[in-house]
Amino acid sequence: MPSTLTENVRKTVLENGLTVLTKEVHTAPVVTVQVWYKVGSRNEEPGVNGIAHQLEHLMFKGTQNRPIQFGRLFSALGSDSNAFTSYDQTAYYGTVERNKLKALLVLEADRMQNSQIEPEQLASEKRVVISELQGYENSPEYRLNRAVMQAVFPNHAYGLPVGGTKADVEKFEVEQVQKYYRNFYSPDNAVLVIVGDFQTGNTLETIKEVFGKLPRRQGAGGRGQGAGGAGEAGGEELISKCPIPHSPLPTPIVLREPGAGRLLQVVYPLPDANQPDVPMLDVMDYIFTEGRNSRLYQALVESGLASEVTASVTSLRESGWYEVLVTAGSKQDLKKIDSVLSSAIANVAEKGVTTEEVERAKTQLTADVILSNRDITSQAMRLGNDETTVGDYRYTDRYLAAVRLVKPTDVVAVINKYLTKESRTVGFFEPTQKQVTGVSDKPDSAQTTENFSPGVPVLPSEVAKYLPPVDLVTDTIAQVLPQEFKLTNGLRILLLPDRSTPTVTLSGYIQAGTEFDPENQAGLAAFVSENLLNGTTSKNVLTIAKVLAERGASLNFEVHREGVHIEGDSLAGDLPIILEILADVVKNSTFPAKELELHRQQTLTDLQLELDEPSEVARRIFVQSIYPKKHPLHTFPTEESLQQIQRQDVIDFKAKHYRPDTTVLALVGDFDLDKVRSLIQNEFGNWQVSGQAPTLKYPPVSMPEKIVSVNPVLPGKAQAVTYMGYTGINRYDPRFHAALVLNQILGGDTLSSRLGAEVRDRQGLSYGIYSYFHTGKNAGTFLIEMQTSPEDSSKAIASTRQILQQIHQQGVTALEVETAKRTLISNYNVSLANPEELTDRILMNEVYGLDKVELHSFTDKLQKVTFEQVNQAARELLHPDKIVVVTAGPSVLAEKSIR
């Protein structure tokens, strides 16, 4: 275990007050640049709720010096960039190849001082924010949480939703947002974090040159200032008016609204992040809800009362809270669940916890922190969050040291201190009846009548004009390839040692996906993969869970269309444990009847909840509208198909499809090659197989003859979700690389693509719009996905089809092709610096039968794509008039004659 996460972090404060944190990590030629501002929804009050979030959106709209969407500049640099607003901070981050470090610094310094906040931009971005908020409104969990938090913090901004409310967002004026920007966006209220492959001395000189000339704020703006509120209040006063309601609500808050499942939420106020009780509270939380052996899982889920229980400790600058969320099992009563929950907590307070439980929780917690810091972006996030929340980037080191000292008596003490009946606020979500209706298969005329001319696409030459210069690359990247070997039973293994962190990442694949589901038993493949860990001939479900939990290791199976993906991670020394459990469950799983039945009930509850989500409903109907009955992709689980599955079916499917000769394992991490080879030989060498592996032939699917529109109605939803598309290409299609470049230009990025620039950025119709070519061994799907206000759906669909038409007929420009190629290549190189993405890439190259040098030759293939090939792909693969369009959402759509 590393002694500290921060041992080579350097803190520098410039004369203008900018705090700079630098950490050199030389494992890959990439670097992450993050700017954290010490302002968030904590600095708001009712009436201006959401102004920090609104400003975050406007920070991408360009500056006086660069009047261009910043998303286009980040995309042209190949930066994996984004931003978020939280309670205590707003952060902007980008990860790039190391030669682009200075360019990112120049862009961040520019928007720290010179952002353009104009009426027209605010108007379009307000629509985008409202679209985003409507997406949250679709979730019953979000609505319940908002009601409970307002009751917990009636007089503090932590009780307000971070993203704001529609009513407040609609009222924002340009002057308000500009004032807020001037008050809070300045070097003395910001932390710049750089982690990755750079030299500290040179980089600090560059930072002084780029940021050093920015002025401090004139008169420090405080809480609420610029948002029309009061000035700064002293720390003591803030904490004293903080969370604990003196008269908590004696009865639960009850929301009776459209939805699918019953939810119970309980929130207990806690102290701020700097208080010594926080590590003890986190250990308590792991004992309550982490894994199958946890106390609340045993009391609520194993008993069948709930299908899921989750919890989290939130520790912020001025306060905190412990939140427990329970999804009720089918037909279960919330009052009863609440009573069992309270009894379980009281029981722990009275009888205590075991040393074994505490040690296990401490190990899991510590391992989670280390495993979540494997990549440089996450390491920088940790530093930025610690410095802006508690004012000390070394906080996590202190915190982990404190976790190591937690004793069983400490856990009981914090339960008695904070989880009292008197302090809790309870919320119930009771769904009302809902009807889902559908309209289908009528040619759509309404959408072609309105003419939203997409206007001229922003010229790539404009982007080039505003891009800061990029350092020339003088060095080549060392290309390390995975070692490959195969057992006599056909199991294939790829190993890539990487000593950068004391961890191991495992990725695996078994050819046992949902494509093999029998029509009347859709969901069978998932039943098998999700029950593998529920017991073997030598270990029961709790023993397996305990062995992994005691090491803080994780192992998961997730079923996809063409295969089951295995994901595992652990600290380096615990790799033998992961391999032993993995081998045991794939060879010897027993599928106990009790566990299968419990899983069936949870799956039925999950299905009910999924069919209340517009995105899930739109996706299902979209796929079923493209692929005919009897096609492997047409079937989805239903209540009837899940009830059909018997234990013997599960055993038979596993015996038939789980075979070493259709299994691939990839490992990246801190290990010795020879030791791991012999470990794998010992664990998997005796996995036997007979006969040939089952295969499937996908029947060809024709394009729709015309526009097919379907509009399932989900009452009570605020936002609509649209899926548009048709059957696409497979991974081996000669146009594959050209299609990737075409897609990047069309909708690969919601801020810089043609669709993003028009539908989101110029018209403000969608919070997110993307296009994809999903490819596999078999033909995949081309799709465009977007979220809109219900009243904007037809307009957004019409604009989208026009852009498809424009590119199909007129093609794209040579400069767009070059920019897209550069972006894709940079993004790919950045992704390989993340162990999880690297392991997955190695794995899938093997699954698709590609040469192992594909790991590095992929970028050469992209580089060789020509302008002519991309335009040919546009003519052959984009079909604006033969497209399936599915929009799921509230019934206002039906009145708009989107059929």
Side-chain angles (χ1 to χ4, degrees):
M1 194 151 313
S3 55
T4 75
L5 291 168
T6 56
E7 57 193 341
N8 63 335
V9 175
R10 180 163 162 191
K11 179 173 178 174
T12 311
V13 181
L14 303 192
E15 284 180 16
N16 59 7
L18 178 70
T19 298
V20 182
L21 301 175
T22 51
K23 178 181 182 180
E24 291 185 29
V25 178
H26 298 291
T27 50
V30 296
V31 62
T32 188
V33 172
Q34 304 185 356
V35 179
W36 292 65
Y37 294 94
K38 297 177 198 169
V39 58
S41 60
R42 178 179 70 85
N43 305 80
E44 297 171 359
E45 52 192 30
V48 286
N49 180 204
I51 196 164
H53 176 228
Q54 181 69 68
L55 177 57
E56 175 224 309
H57 277 246
L58 288 165
M59 289 287 282
F60 284 86
K61 286 296 204 178
T63 63
Q64 274 100 346
N65 311 327
R66 294 181 176 84
I68 184 172
Q69 162 58 260
F70 264 43
R72 298 183 84 84
L73 299 176
F74 293 133
S75 180
L77 283 174
S79 173
D80 183 5
S81 291
N82 213 325
F84 66 84
T85 306
S86 188
Y87 294 97
D88 291 336
Q89 58 275 105
T90 308
Y92 302 82
Y93 55 97
T95 305
V96 286
E97 294 157 307
R98 63 180 167 206
N99 62 312
K100 296 163 182 170
L101 168 59
K102 183 173 179 181
L104 268 193
L105 292 172
V106 168
L107 291 176
E108 289 299 354
D110 189 16
R111 66 176 173 173
M112 182 180 280
Q113 190 176 23
N114 305 313
S115 277
Q116 284 194 113
I117 300 165
E118 307 292 341
E120 190 184 337
Q121 295 163 329
L122 178 60
S124 83
E125 213 53 35
K126 270 161 63 162
R127 289 181 78 164
V128 171
V129 168
I130 288 167
S131 164
E132 181 182 352
L133 296 179
Q134 287 171 326
Y136 302 149
E137 288 290 330
N138 279 356
S139 157
E141 192 180 308
Y142 174 82
R143 303 197 305 267
L144 178 64
N145 178 262
R146 182 177 56 197
V148 172
M149 290 300 288
Q150 278 171 344
V152 176
F153 293 99
N155 303 311
H156 192 287
Y158 287 159
L160 303 172
V162 171
T165 61
K166 184 180 177 201
D168 282 4
V169 170
E170 282 171 337
K171 295 199 296 263
F172 291 150
E173 300 287 339
V174 169
E175 295 73 26
Q176 263 181 317
V177 185
Q178 286 170 340
K179 186 174 176 193
Y180 201 80
Y181 172 64
R182 287 195 303 273
N183 273 341
F184 293 110
Y185 278 59
S186 62
D188 50 311
N189 198 41
V191 177
L192 171 65
V193 189
I194 303 176
V195 175
D197 194 13
F198 63 93
Q199 299 301 322
T200 304
N202 306 350
T203 301
L204 283 174
E205 287 308 309
T206 306
I207 290 167
K208 284 172 189 159
E209 174 200 327
V210 173
F211 281 91
K213 53 184 180 288
L214 301 185
R216 287 172 174 265
R217 286 176 290 184
Q218 301 303 308
R223 150 203 216 75
Q225 277 201 352
E232 184 77 274
E236 286 66 30
E237 185 195 337
L238 290 177
I239 287 169
S240 68
K241 70 178 204 195
C242 238
I244 303 165
H246 301 297
S247 50
L249 302 174
T251 54
I253 296 161
V254 182
L255 291 193
R256 285 193 176 82
E257 294 177 1
R262 291 188 176 85
L263 299 171
L264 162 71
Q265 185 164 43
V266 183
V267 174
Y268 300 88
L270 295 180
D272 66 90
N274 262 318
Q275 300 305 313
D277 288 344
V278 169
M280 301 171 199
L281 287 159
D282 279 333
V283 172
M284 170 203 82
D285 171 42
Y286 271 62
I287 291 169
F288 275 144
T289 63
E290 188 60 35
R292 294 289 294 252
N293 289 284
S294 61
R295 295 295 188 101
L296 296 183
Y297 190 95
Q298 287 289 314
L300 296 168
V301 182
E302 289 288 346
S303 64
L305 281 171
S307 76
E308 191 181 17
V309 55
T310 57
S312 60
V313 172
T314 301
S315 306
L316 301 178
R317 195 160 158 175
E318 292 175 7
S319 180
W321 58 88
Y322 185 51
E323 172 187 331
V324 183
L325 180 72
V326 184
T327 306
S330 188
K331 304 184 176 62
Q332 296 293 343
D333 179 63
L334 290 176
K335 286 187 178 144
K336 183 178 179 189
I337 292 173
D338 186 31
S339 161
V340 171
L341 172 71
S342 298
S343 301
I345 292 172
N347 187 39
V348 178
E350 189 185 327
K351 298 188 176 156
V353 291
T354 65
T355 304
E356 183 193 1
E357 279 180 302
V358 172
E359 290 308 312
R360 186 165 67 228
K362 285 157 63 169
T363 304
Q364 286 176 300
L365 189 51
T366 306
D368 279 353
V369 171
I370 292 165
L371 289 165
S372 66
N373 279 285
R374 278 173 292 183
D375 62 288
I376 59 168
T377 306
S378 304
Q379 290 175 41
M381 287 272 175
R382 177 79 56 174
L383 294 170
N385 188 62
D386 287 352
E387 184 69 24
T388 53
T389 304
V390 296
D392 180 9
Y393 70 87
R394 296 179 303 264
Y395 174 77
T396 297
D397 285 336
R398 287 192 286 128
Y399 165 86
L400 287 177
V403 164
R404 288 197 277 278
L405 303 176
V406 174
K407 302 184 296 296
T409 48
D410 298 329
V411 175
V412 174
V414 290
I415 294 173
N416 284 317
K417 185 170 174 183
Y418 299 109
L419 269 56
T420 63
K421 262 275 196 335
E422 303 76 58
S423 69
R424 65 189 212 129
T425 302
V426 181
F428 288 175
F429 182 85
E430 295 277 9
T432 52
Q433 280 311 103
K434 64 185 198 65
Q435 278 310 114
V436 177
T437 57
V439 195
S440 122
D441 273 25
K442 295 186 185 135
D444 173 17
S445 54
Q447 285 156 4
T448 45
T449 50
E450 290 180 86
N451 182 25
F452 306 101
S453 67
V456 186
V458 175
L459 294 171
S461 55
E462 281 286 287
V463 179
K465 183 167 88 182
Y466 295 118
L467 260 187
V470 168
D471 296 341
L472 292 171
V473 184
T474 50
D475 46 2
T476 52
I477 300 165
Q479 302 196 338
V480 190
L481 290 172
Q483 299 273 331
E484 205 175 330
F485 71 100
K486 191 174 183 176
L487 301 188
T488 50
N489 59 11
L491 178 74
R492 288 166 288 161
I493 296 107
L494 298 120
L495 302 174
L496 184 62
D498 167 14
R499 311 278 183 200
S500 58
T501 63
T503 63
V504 177
T505 304
L506 174 144
S507 213
Y509 176 97
I510 303 173
Q511 198 176 312
T514 57
E515 62 185 10
F516 291 112
D517 274 348
E519 194 182 349
N520 64 336
Q521 291 181 321
L524 177 57
F527 249 64
V528 177
S529 67
E530 288 161 10
N531 282 282
L532 286 170
L533 290 162
N534 283 348
T536 65
T537 45
S538 61
K539 298 182 186 72
N540 70 15
V541 57
L542 294 180
T543 307
I544 292 172
K546 191 169 154 190
V547 170
L548 289 167
E550 281 170 350
R551 309 297 175 120
S554 75
L555 184 62
N556 296 300
F557 297 85
E558 190 178 347
V559 73
H560 293 267
R561 180 179 94 190
E562 290 186 339
V564 172
H565 281 247
I566 307 165
E567 282 177 12
D569 55 30
S570 72
L571 299 178
D574 299 322
L575 176 60
I577 303 284
I578 285 218
L579 290 173
E580 183 197 322
I581 298 266
L582 175 58
D584 191 21
V585 301
V586 295
K587 292 188 298 192
N588 310 314
S589 49
T590 52
F591 305 108
K594 172 179 174 263
E595 298 299 336
L596 273 182
E597 209 36 59
L598 186 63
H599 178 76
R600 189 196 315 271
Q601 295 313 316
Q602 290 171 338
T603 307
L604 287 165
T605 304
D606 291 346
L607 177 66
Q608 227 184 338
L609 297 172
E610 276 179 12
L611 295 181
D612 184 51
E613 287 178 20
S615 58
E616 187 56 35
V617 172
R619 186 178 74 88
R620 272 188 177 226
I621 293 178
F622 171 71
V623 170
Q624 292 190 323
S625 303
I626 293 173
Y627 300 104
K629 285 195 166 98
K630 307 287 182 205
H631 191 283
L633 300 188
H634 184 86
T635 51
F636 280 87
T638 61
E639 193 172 331
E640 296 71 41
S641 75
L642 293 171
Q643 296 287 12
Q644 292 288 326
I645 297 170
Q646 302 303 311
R647 177 167 180 259
Q648 194 57 46
D649 302 319
V650 174
I651 292 168
D652 293 347
F653 186 98
K654 157 80 170 32
K656 184 175 174 184
H657 294 284
Y658 280 66
R659 309 162 52 99
D661 54 348
T662 65
T663 299
V664 185
L665 297 179
L667 288 120
V668 172
D670 187 4
F671 53 72
D672 177 279
L673 272 171
D674 295 334
K675 282 185 186 159
V676 173
R677 283 180 76 137
S678 63
L679 258 175
I680 290 173
Q681 179 66 54
N682 290 343
E683 295 293 353
F684 294 90
N686 63 352
W687 186 10
Q688 292 311 314
V689 65
S690 62
Q692 290 299 305
T695 54
L696 262 185
K697 195 152 173 52
Y698 280 32
V701 176
S702 53
M703 296 288 295
E705 294 293 303
K706 54 182 190 303
I707 297 168
V708 176
S709 290
V710 192
N711 172 215
V713 175
L714 283 86
K717 296 301 176 189
Q719 188 191 55
V721 177
T722 298
Y723 275 67
M724 316 171 58
Y726 36 76
T727 187
I729 57 175
N730 66 23
R731 177 63 181 83
Y732 312 108
D733 193 295
R735 299 166 295 189
F736 173 73
H737 296 91
L740 289 181
V741 176
L742 170 65
N743 186 68
Q744 181 63 28
I745 295 167
L746 171 67
D749 178 300
T750 203
L751 291 179
S752 67
S753 63
R754 289 258 195 121
L755 287 174
E758 179 60 21
V759 180
R760 184 200 194 276
D761 209 46
R762 193 178 78 81
Q763 295 188 42
L765 298 177
S766 172
Y767 169 55
I769 180 165
Y770 296 95
S771 63
Y772 312 88
F773 282 95
H774 283 308
T775 60
K777 291 179 176 178
N778 294 287
T781 309
F782 167 70
L783 71 95
I784 296 168
E785 172 191 354
M786 62 179 141
Q787 310 102 34
T788 55
S789 290
E791 58 275 14
D792 287 339
S793 296
S794 58
K795 197 172 175 182
I797 291 165
S799 286
T800 299
R801 281 197 36 237
Q802 262 180 322
I803 289 165
L804 284 175
Q805 190 83 43
Q806 198 179 51
I807 296 179
H808 172 70
Q809 289 174 347
Q810 298 159 27
V812 297
T813 66
L815 242 159
E816 278 181 306
V817 170
E818 287 312 305
T819 306
K821 279 158 55 170
R822 221 175 33 241
T823 301
L824 288 168
I825 290 167
S826 300
N827 284 343
Y828 180 80
N829 288 336
V830 166
S831 77
L832 294 189
N834 181 326
E836 288 181 36
E837 294 191 47
L838 172 62
T839 315
D840 205 47
R841 185 67 71 159
I842 291 170
L843 175 83
M844 292 316 291
N845 285 345
E846 178 62 33
V847 168
Y848 292 138
L850 305 170
D851 193 316
K852 67 176 179 183
V853 300
E854 175 72 19
L855 191 63
H856 299 295
S857 62
F858 177 75
T859 52
D860 301 335
K861 290 176 185 171
L862 283 173
Q863 190 56 56
K864 290 188 178 118
V865 170
T866 66
F867 166 61
E868 290 75 22
Q869 286 170 330
V870 176
N871 280 334
Q872 186 178 344
R875 287 191 296 276
E876 294 173 4
L877 300 176
L878 299 184
H879 306 285
D881 298 323
K882 297 178 176 181
I883 193 164
V884 171
V885 182
V886 178
T887 301
S891 53
V892 60
L893 295 157
E895 296 149 26
K896 290 272 183 180
S897 76
I898 295 181
R899 292 195 283 273

